[in-house]
Amino acid sequence: MTENAQQQPSAPHTELPTQYAPAEVEGKLYERWVERGYFAADAKSDKPAYTIVIPPPNVTGSLHLGHAFQHTLMDALTRRKRMQGYEALWLPGMDHAGIATQNVVERELGKEGKSRHDLGREEFVERVWQWKEEYGGRILGQMRRLGDGVDWSRERFTMDEGLSQAVQTIFKKLYDDELIYRAERIINWCPRCLTAISDIEVEYQEDDGELVSIKYGEGDETLVVATTRAETMLGDTAVAVHPDDERYQHLIGKRIKLPLTDRTIPVVADTHVDPEFGTGAVKVTPAHDPNDFEIGRRHDLESLTVMDERGVITVHGPFEGLDRFEARSAIVAALRAEGRIVAEKRPYVHSVGHCSRCKTTLEPRLSMQWWVKVGPLAQAAGDAVRDGRVAIHPADMSKRYFDWVDNMHDWCISRQLWWGHRIPVWYGPEGEVVCVGPDEEPPSGEGWTQDPDVLDTWFSSGLWPFSTLGWPEQTPDLEKFYSTDVLLTGHDIIFFWVARMMMFGLYAMDGEVPFKTIALTGLVRDQFGKKMSKSSGTAVDPLDWMNEYGSDAVRFTLAKGANPGVDVPIGEDWVQASRNFANKIWNATRFALMNGATVEGPLPEPAEMSATDRWILSRLNKTVAEVDAFYEDFQFAKVSDSLYHFAWDEVFDWYVELSKTTFMAGGEGAKISGRVLGEVLDVTLRLLHPIVPFVTETLWTTLTGGESVVIANWPTDSGFRDEAAEREIETLQSVITEVRRFRADQGLQPGQRVPARLTLDGTALAPHEAAIRQLLRLQPEGEAFSATATLPVAGATVALDLSGTIDVAAERKRLAKDLAAAEKEKAQANAKLGNEAFLAKAPDHVVEKIRTRLTKADEDIARIKTQLDRLPEA
């Protein structure tokens, strides 16, 4: 009947402490798991492989709620697969985080009154390595605190020797295939970090700026353009209009005067210009705007760089040497003095890109950089999803993926930093350019120099699924564990990291996909659904919650909110509720152990069991099947919800309570129920383990005597169902629930005993009389029994003698008063809702509030009348 019995030997139960104290057990349990090698994967195993690589956190980072959220889900997937018999590898590691790490070390140097240039490149890089060894990787210890079941023996770092070889290998391969090139293009430039940065490192925010409209040209040959960056006009080399805009047909092809300069610039016709936006004329600054750069290329315009890498103006005497923002004010003032300002709007709120590391306003800048030609790589990345080799979950996120990969621009991969993978290209004295592979000697001799730039961090992390397994060597790990099974990550980086891994994986591994499924999560928000931030005081350190409530409570809260692709609100009250759930599991298991719950021996045959026993086993198997289906669909919230309600509601609140009379009676029935309860707890704890690993480990090993739930078998659905028993217990539950409700309505205390006559003959409830009386605190009727209230429920009758427990006359008086108040509330609400003048003036939310009051009044009236009908006459 069941396939869930464990093979581990059972041992005598040790007594559990009266309370669960997470802080006393979690750290010790985790270290025991690691020492025993439970998380280590064996490439030589004949078990089927299951692989997840961790999105590598920055070496500078610390565990935030977003990490805790995704790590909880990845850990749950891996732990379940390990229990299912897979050779499960969850591979950890860190990213060298070029800009972030360099900034940290430069700030440390600044405290000494030094810059990196004082040290020189080699000594500075050595200083970064020293910082990494001493301070980097704090997050790895925090991952242990959370319970991450990763294979620490395979920990990787994007700057370690093996990954560096992978980076150099793929750069050389791309270069030789003419998929890497060097060219001048517009890039995002940080004047503070002095480097190009990737799109993902741009943070857009609404800034208060200014929009000025400037008159170009003289006399009849004038145009008005609007700009938020007046300082860039010094680099204008054209004004563009739409070729079909009749207002400017007479100017197309002519040259007009550029204000404040001695230059004239052409008016060009370009379809990029929207004639409906503004004046329909736009200034063209090819060296300082990406769209203008493309217009410049189409019309063979000169690109004039007018500011240096620090954002300082480098041309036109009066403004030369001014910071870009100082120059903006000075140029607007000069234009105003010449009568060139047609209109000014301040403040003008618009979206402005900032460096995510130092918050400096970024500057589009024409720069010589290294690029990846992404066309064929992106095509392959799109095709892998279209033809089903890679599934995106949830499926509706596929459109966002295709929107990106189908319209991807060439990728700027060079960074003007010292910390990172240095570009393996050497320049010779006669203009030679040599790309060097990992097994090749770089050219030497006078005049040869290596490119000073390093590669974008995303370049090395894009190799992560295969470089961490030993590529370019054909290692046993690579053969066993590639392709990886699931990439679980936030939907916010689908365009960047995910797409790059897809492109590089397919390219380097001869068309073999880097992962079979992309499972996209939402982002963690505060309890009101808003973005957490330190400035608003809503940011939460998950370690604080783990210290207060235990890691299991934090994990369960995060998993319970994890609907695919949907943001996750979380508040401390919810973590407290999850802590209460862990305590409930603890207390219920402790009670069960004290009352004979056991896993020893086979389960009794169904014919030997009570309906209550058969009911809970039927519900158990349905829950196993339900949980499995939810896991396969990455429905973590539904997994958690299903297990929560089964464990708390059905096992602890119903089965344990219904079985108390059986345990009290002793005998064979108690032995059978003890074995059933042991089975239910064994399976339930194993089902819960991937999400709440610590409390389940303690309870399961105590219950079963097994070595560890980490290596226990995942439960399987035996197929046992007993619909008749389920209907019988549902009927029993309805009787108990209805009578409890009546008792509460009459103001009876939960433990207050009441004489009662039960008429159960001819119903399925007859075998449950003892349980009904126990749960409802109903004592046998005495000689003086007088039925003062009769409840017909589910074919049975429960007659109660309330004469000694409540004052019927006083209770009728109290209910009559409540009824009058409810009827008055209903009348007032009806009067307002029937007043057309009121409805015409009242706000919608006020009207809705009155409708809600009316609904509540109707419900109260019906409830009170039912209570009155059930009371005897006074």
Side-chain angles (χ1 to χ4, degrees), residues 66-86:
H67 289 129
F69 172 55
Q70 293 183 358
H71 287 208
T72 293
L73 305 187
M74 284 185 279
D75 195 31
L77 290 173
T78 311
R79 286 177 181 268
R80 173 174 174 263
K81 286 296 183 181
R82 188 179 291 117
M83 295 171 75
Q84 286 182 315
Y86 286 80

Side-chain angles (χ1 to χ4, degrees), residues 649-670:
D649 299 344
E650 299 188 88
V651 179
F652 306 147
D653 277 0
W654 283 109
Y655 182 73
V656 168
E657 293 299 318
L658 288 171
S659 299
K660 281 182 178 178
T661 52
T662 305
F663 290 133
M664 290 169 60
E668 191 62 25

Side-chain angles (χ1 to χ4, degrees), residues 44 388 546 731:
K44 297 178 181 178
M546 284 189 268
T731 301

Side-chain angles (χ1 to χ4, degrees), residues 755 757 781-789 799-803:
R757 177 188 299 142
E781 56 188 289
E783 293 183 4
F785 178 82
S786 174
T788 58
L800 305 174
D801 184 352
L802 304 178
S803 57

Side-chain angles (χ1 to χ4, degrees), residues 479-726:
E479 183 178 350
K480 177 74 175 179
F481 296 112
Y482 190 89
S483 299
T484 69
D485 288 85
V486 177
L487 171 71
L488 190 143
T489 191
H491 62 65
D492 55 327
I493 59 173
I494 185 173
F495 311 131
F496 306 105
W497 189 49
V498 176
R500 281 151 174 69
M501 285 190 292
M502 284 286 283
M503 292 190 301
F504 280 169
L506 290 161
Y507 174 74
M509 300 299 294
D510 299 322
E512 195 174 357
V513 297
F515 23 75
K516 302 176 184 75
T517 300
I518 302 169
L520 297 170
T521 70
L523 308 179
V524 179
R525 305 288 189 182
D526 69 16
Q527 60 187 321
F528 305 108
K530 295 181 180 179
K531 182 179 179 180
M532 289 186 173
S533 69
K534 292 181 180 178
S535 60
S536 63
T538 57
V540 173
D541 185 343
L543 293 169
D544 291 341
W545 281 352
M546 284 189 268
N547 291 334
E548 180 71 21
Y549 306 110
S551 298
D552 284 333
V554 174
R555 290 171 61 113
F556 193 75
T557 304
L558 291 164
K560 209 166 188 292
N563 291 297
V566 178
D567 288 351
V568 183
I570 184 172
E572 189 167 3
D573 288 352
W574 305 339
V575 185
Q576 291 173 352
S578 295
R579 186 268 315 273
N580 295 343
F581 179 51
N583 289 340
K584 183 76 171 180
I585 300 169
W586 182 272
N587 292 333
T589 305
R590 186 169 176 272
F591 167 85
L593 289 171
M594 291 190 297
N595 285 273
T598 180
V599 297
E600 295 181 22
L603 275 174
E605 292 299 317
E608 301 172 4
M609 299 182 196
S610 68
T612 308
D613 293 334
R614 297 194 307 275
W615 160 73
I616 197 62
L617 289 174
S618 183
R619 289 294 308 128
L620 175 69
N621 278 289
K622 284 184 178 180
T623 301
V624 170
E626 187 174 74
V627 166
D628 275 334
F630 289 147
Y631 261 120
E632 294 304 314
D633 200 34
F634 302 99
Q635 298 277 359
F636 298 99
K638 292 182 178 179
V639 168
S640 306
D641 198 56
S642 175
L643 288 172
Y644 177 89
H645 288 294
F646 175 72
W648 192 309
D649 299 344
E650 299 188 88
V651 179
F652 306 147
D653 277 0
W654 283 109
Y655 182 73
V656 168
E657 293 299 318
L658 288 171
S659 299
K660 281 182 178 178
T661 52
T662 305
F663 290 133
M664 290 169 60
E668 191 62 25
K671 289 182 180 179
I672 290 173
S673 290
R675 179 64 188 89
V676 170
L677 180 54
E679 179 76 7
V680 171
L681 287 175
D682 169 22
V683 173
T684 302
L685 291 170
R686 282 185 279 145
L687 289 173
L688 282 164
H689 172 72
I691 297 175
V692 285
F694 294 108
V695 68
T696 52
E697 171 79 342
T698 305
L699 295 175
W700 187 87
T701 53
T702 303
L703 170 71
T704 68
E707 179 183 339
S708 173
V709 70
V710 176
I711 54 173
N713 297 330
W714 180 252
T716 56
D717 175 11
S718 70
F720 176 74
R721 302 287 189 274
D722 193 325
E723 302 297 340
E726 290 196 40

